[in-house]
Amino acid sequence: MEENKTFTISVYTENNVGLLNRISVIFLKRHINILSLNVSESEIENVSRFVIVVDTTEKWVRNIVGQIEKQIEVIKAFYHVDEETIYMESALFKIASNLLFDERQIQNIIKESHSEIVTVSRDFFVISKVGRRSEIEEMYAKLKPFGIMQFVRSGRISVSKEKMEVTSLLLEELKS
């Protein structure tokens, strides 16, 4: 039996209303949870890129990519395992301002985690952390005892390690 792995699916699409819903239904019908989702512009003008992270088998991810590519607005979809990509997430932590000055340990956490303070006000300060999910979770665990007022983490962003002639491939697809 095939084992589950974490896969990053990249989907290059025209930017059309309703596509996100149709793509999410593909996962819903197969009872596969989306761990992370990010949609942004791509390196090609007027083409969006979805980055979807799932934990499933290669058989299922191949099937899903095939279903996604059947959507009219989808130009091309790819999948990769973690070792084939460079990926990161970002997070913001909102903490009470008095702790920045009263708790020396918070300054150490910020320094050791290679994060940065992005704003300081009378009532709160905000820390930004970019890295792997595990690094963000570790920082969360260290800050939690001090009280986190707000926390948010982005979906994964990633690029493949291998050279992908995606631009020329997509431009050819768009012409046909």
Side-chain angles (χ1 to χ4, degrees):
M1 188 165 139
E2 226 181 326
E3 69 179 60
N4 279 16
K5 291 182 185 175
T6 300
F7 291 95
T8 300
I9 302 171
S10 297
V11 184
Y12 289 84
T13 72
E14 298 171 19
N15 192 5
N16 288 5
V17 174
L19 180 60
L20 175 58
N21 187 43
R22 290 196 309 282
I23 287 176
S24 66
V25 165
I26 292 169
F27 293 91
L28 178 67
K29 284 181 179 177
R30 288 158 185 78
H31 302 282
I32 295 175
N33 188 37
I34 294 173
L35 302 176
S36 170
L37 171 68
N38 183 294
V39 183
S40 68
E41 298 170 339
S42 74
E43 61 275 21
I44 301 161
E45 194 174 335
N46 298 319
V47 173
S48 295
R49 181 174 178 205
F50 288 61
V51 176
I52 306 165
V53 180
V54 294
D55 188 43
T56 189
T57 64
E58 187 160 3
K59 176 186 174 188
W60 276 110
V61 82
R62 262 196 314 270
N63 181 289
I64 289 166
V65 166
Q67 290 297 307
I68 289 171
E69 285 190 327
K70 288 180 181 177
Q71 300 297 312
I72 292 170
E73 305 91 334
V74 171
I75 302 161
K76 191 71 181 156
F78 306 91
Y79 70 90
H80 295 93
V81 292
D82 284 354
E83 297 77 30
E84 298 171 329
T85 63
I86 298 161
Y87 60 94
M88 11 182 52
E89 297 180 4
S90 62
L92 297 175
F93 299 84
K94 182 177 172 184
I95 312 284
S97 282
N98 65 307
L99 295 173
L100 183 58
F101 307 105
D102 298 344
E103 294 287 345
R104 181 78 184 144
Q105 196 175 349
I106 289 202
Q107 293 178 29
N108 291 338
I109 292 168
I110 294 167
K111 184 178 180 182
E112 290 166 7
S113 67
H114 305 288
S115 54
E116 62 179 302
I117 297 172
V118 292
T119 191
V120 177
S121 76
R122 182 184 315 266
D123 300 321
F124 64 87
F125 68 102
V126 176
I127 304 167
S128 170
K129 169 69 182 150
V130 175
R132 299 249 171 138
R133 178 170 287 228
S134 59
E135 296 168 337
I136 292 169
E137 288 172 347
E138 181 182 331
M139 186 169 170
Y140 182 93
K142 288 179 180 178
L143 290 172
K144 188 173 181 178
F146 298 100
I148 298 171
M149 297 169 72
Q150 288 184 35
F151 169 76
V152 65
R153 179 177 52 218
S154 73
R156 175 182 288 194
I157 56 172
S158 87
V159 293
S160 65
K161 288 181 180 177
E162 69 184 44
K163 183 178 180 183
M164 290 179 57
E165 298 293 343
V166 72
T167 304
S168 56
L169 180 68
L170 293 179
L171 291 173
E172 283 179 32
E173 293 271 338
L174 287 171
K175 288 177 189 172
S176 57

